[in-house]
Amino acid sequence: MNFLIDYNLTGDAVLFWGTLSAEGWLDLLTIRFFTFQEVGLPMDSSDRVVWQFAQTNQMILITANRNMKGDDSLEQTIREEN
């Protein structure tokens, strides 16, 4: 499983990774976390760009700050593209 970690959750991702490791999940599943920087996404990428990137690359998006306002909001994008 590949996870795309939103830029504001990098610290939380480290803690989550530690929990997954401590609980033995990393022995059972191939799990990789990617930051925006690692995949070349600018921090100011629109929700639509982030979602499309995650979908194209078969990644699970972990985010906490995407909004629900506007044509390119994460909610609107998911409604249109799913």
Side-chain angles (χ1 to χ4, degrees):
M1 282 187 226
N2 293 327
F3 292 87
L4 178 60
I5 308 300
D6 207 342
Y7 70 88
N8 67 325
L9 292 177
T10 304
D12 296 303
V14 171
L15 295 173
F16 186 43
W17 184 263
T19 300
L20 291 172
S21 179
E23 296 296 323
W25 285 103
L26 300 180
D27 296 331
L28 301 172
L29 300 169
T30 302
I31 297 173
R32 296 177 63 197
F33 286 2
F34 294 91
T35 64
F36 277 33
Q37 183 177 7
E38 289 173 318
V39 299
L41 279 174
M43 285 180 25
D44 62 351
S45 295
S46 72
D47 292 2
R48 185 172 300 275
V49 168
V50 171
W51 179 255
Q52 289 172 339
F53 182 88
Q55 294 301 297
T56 298
N57 293 284
Q58 299 180 336
M59 298 173 130
I60 298 168
L61 175 61
I62 298 181
T63 185
N65 77 331
R66 298 290 152 177
N67 64 58
M68 293 186 259
K69 298 176 184 173
D71 293 337
D72 284 331
S73 70
L74 183 57
E75 181 175 337
Q76 185 64 33
T77 300
I78 292 171
R79 288 176 190 257
E80 289 175 8
E81 296 192 12
N82 278 342

